[in-house]
Amino acid sequence: MRGRSGGGGGAGGGCDRRVSPRWMVILCVCSFSLGMLLTDKFWAFPDANNPVVSSSRRQEQELQIISEDCTTKRKHAEDKDVMGEVSRTHEVIQSLDKAISTLQMELAAKRNSRELIGRDGSSSTEALTEKRKKAFVVIGINTAFSSRKRRDSVRATWMPQGGKLQHLEQEKGIVVRFTIGHSATSHSILDKAIDSEEAQHHDFLRLDHVEGYHELSAKTKIFFSTVVAIWDADFYVKVDDDVHVNLGMLATTLARHRSKPRTYIGCMKSGPVLFDKNVRYHEPEYWKFGEDGNKYFRHATGQIYAISKDLATYISINQPILHKYANEDVSLGSWFIGLEVEYIDERNMCCGTPPDCEWKAQAGNVCIASFDWSCSGICKSVEKIKGVHERCGEGDGAVWSTSF
């Protein structure tokens, strides 16, 4: 038994071959060297001078530039779309605002007419109850009993006559009338002269108003109240009878503001309040505007201005309580203080007479209205308006070919 055990032990000792530590070190060093060699071969950095590598880099850079350019253009296009949407939204809001304002004013006007019917049965009340005529613009030429020659000079220049005046109203929606009230004495010779002139030309709008230089503010209120009752127009214009007007340019300019609510268009100014009672345009109520040397609030000059339907209706409704200052243009401006009104300063409505308006016409910028500031109208208009019309007029056919 002891021999078997010994034999077994001899066999096990023959199979147990130990590796020498020295060889293990050698094998490790060889394996490490071989690994470093293979790593350098497969993971070596690309040569920058290699044509293939350079071409690849250029393509990558070009692709990056193209991508950035496309991203920038797409961003600009998106920004442009956003601005376009904002602009369209603004226009829609303006249109809705105008529609709401118009409905409110018409409702108030009808309520006002019912109240008038309840009080009396005058002809003015009957006019309010009649169906109003549609128009684009109603132009009232402010005139006086003594201004027959001025009216004839206007008829001979920029104001169409006879059938053309009616055609202008029917085809273009442009109504033009001389506006005048009556004398202090009923059926006086002055009134009869106007009746005779009206029978000849059919171009007057008679107002329920006693004529007088110091009653121009009252006349302005009555004018707007009257025309709103007769015509359902987008705009109402007041102009003096010594001013030259190009009707085509006036209509084209007004049409640009057609979608806006509560518009007040004219040559805006803010002159000094004249407290000296010895000067022209003296303001007796100068103290209301503060200390000496103060200026009026912003308002359109009185030679010509336009207001939208909702503002004219506002004047008609509130006529009894609107305060009248000495100067008619100041009065109109005061009525809009505190309202949401867009003031449009249109300098083409206050051009000078030749050569001013002539130079502008030659440059393609035809004036709407021309007059002399020194005279608050065309100086010696009866003699000069024909020359202004020849040199600064837009042409007799302009208003007929204008689209608005």
Side-chain angles (χ1 to χ4, degrees), residues 45-56:
F45 290 104
D47 184 2
N49 295 323
N50 189 324
V52 176
V53 174
S54 299
S55 176
S56 176

Side-chain angles (χ1 to χ4, degrees), residues 174-355:
I174 300 175
V175 180
V176 188
R177 297 286 190 277
F178 287 106
T179 59
I180 194 167
H182 55 82
S183 65
T185 305
S186 180
H187 303 294
S188 71
I189 189 172
L190 297 176
D191 294 306
K192 291 178 180 179
I194 295 297
D195 291 340
S196 176
E197 195 176 339
E198 163 65 6
Q200 180 182 356
H201 295 284
H202 305 288
D203 55 6
F204 276 96
L205 174 65
R206 302 299 297 270
L207 304 176
D208 185 13
H209 165 74
V210 177
E211 285 291 323
Y213 179 78
H214 297 292
E215 297 297 327
L216 291 178
S217 294
K219 185 176 181 179
T220 298
K221 287 200 295 184
I222 294 171
F223 164 67
F224 286 118
S225 299
T226 304
V227 291
V228 162
I230 300 173
W231 289 281
D232 178 15
D234 292 320
F235 294 98
Y236 302 90
V237 174
K238 176 260 176 182
V239 60
D240 289 338
D241 61 5
D242 56 354
V243 172
H244 181 269
V245 178
N246 283 317
L247 292 174
M249 281 303 300
L250 174 62
T252 301
T253 302
L254 294 178
R256 292 203 299 266
H257 307 291
R258 202 171 195 171
S259 63
K260 301 175 183 177
R262 298 176 301 280
T263 48
Y264 177 28
I265 308 170
C267 288
M268 299 297 167
K269 65 175 184 176
S270 181
V273 180
L274 302 177
F275 58 89
D276 186 353
K277 61 182 179 181
N278 295 317
V279 300
R280 192 181 183 187
Y281 306 126
H282 161 63
E283 178 56 71
E285 296 182 278
Y286 62 89
W287 55 272
K288 285 187 176 181
F289 299 90
E291 303 300 325
D292 293 353
N294 278 4
K295 290 186 175 182
Y296 285 117
F297 37 76
R298 202 77 168 157
H299 62 281
T301 187
Q303 286 84 352
I304 180 173
Y305 52 75
I307 62 175
S308 56
K309 173 169 60 177
D310 32 20
L311 291 182
T313 307
Y314 171 83
I315 293 173
S316 175
I317 295 168
N318 297 284
Q319 177 186 341
I321 59 172
L322 294 178
H323 185 70
K324 304 186 297 292
Y325 288 100
N327 298 298
E328 167 257 341
D329 52 355
V330 172
S331 295
L332 183 77
S334 72
W335 300 337
F336 301 149
I337 294 293
L339 302 183
E340 286 292 339
V341 175
E342 182 172 354
Y343 287 63
I344 298 171
D345 187 14
E346 180 52 71
R347 306 315 294 181
N348 266 352
M349 293 179 81
C350 53
C351 296
T353 54

Side-chain angles (χ1 to χ4, degrees), residues 280 372-377 379:
R280 192 181 183 187
D372 299 308
W373 283 104
S374 59
C375 299
S376 297
C379 298

